[in-house]
Amino acid sequence: MNTLLVCLLIFSAAEDDAQPFLAEAQAALAAGELAHARAALDDALARDPENIDALQGAALVALEQGRAAAAVALLERLLKIDPHNDWARLTLARAQWRDGDRDQAALTTSALLERHPTLLEALQLRAA
C-alpha cells in the first residue's frame, strides 16, 4: 500500500477518534457542565494531541475554571501548530494576564498588534 495513503488513513482516523469527544464537550458546555466538558476535551486531546478545536475548547474551559496557567500551556501548544492563529494569540495574552505574567501578556499583545494595529480587543488588553 502507498505510504502516503497509509499516512492519510492514520491522520483521518485520529481526527475521527476525537470528533465524538468534541461533540460531547460542546453539549456539556451548552449545559454549563464545565467539568464534563473538560473531561471530554481531555479525551479528544488524548486521541489527537494537535486537534485545534480541542485545544481551543480546553483553553477556554481552563480560563473559565480559573486555571490560567493551564490555558497558557494549551494555547502555546496550539500556537506551535498554528502560529498565525490570532484568536489563540489574543486569548493567550488574556490568559497570561490572568496568570499574573503581565510582562509576557504585554509582549504577546504587542506581537498581535503588529499584525493587526486596530484590533479592539488587543488595544483594550494593552490599555489594561
Side-chain angles (χ1 to χ4, degrees), residues 73-95:
L74 289 160
L75 292 161
E76 287 174 344
R77 278 177 54 191
L78 191 157
L79 286 166
K80 285 181 183 173
I81 299 162
D82 184 6
H84 299 293
N85 188 322
D86 292 328
W87 173 90
R89 195 162 310 284
L90 178 62
T91 307
L92 175 61
R94 287 185 182 135

Side-chain angles (χ1 to χ4, degrees), residues 84-113:
H84 299 293
N85 188 322
D86 292 328
W87 173 90
R89 195 162 310 284
L90 178 62
T91 307
L92 175 61
R94 287 185 182 135
Q96 290 165 330
W97 181 264
R98 287 187 192 175
D99 195 36
D101 193 350
R102 307 289 198 258
D103 292 338
Q104 193 58 49
L107 290 172
T108 302
T109 302
S110 292
L112 184 57
L113 286 169

Side-chain angles (χ1 to χ4, degrees), residues 2-3 5 16 24 30 52 67 83 106 110:
N2 183 322
T3 305
L5 180 58
D16 288 343
E24 182 181 344
I52 298 291
R67 299 180 303 111
S110 292

Side-chain angles (χ1 to χ4, degrees), residues 4 20 22 38 45 52 59 63 65-66 69-70 82 98 109 123:
L4 179 59
L22 291 172
R38 178 182 176 185
L45 288 170
I52 298 291
L63 279 175
Q65 292 179 321
D82 184 6
R98 287 187 192 175
T109 302
L123 291 168

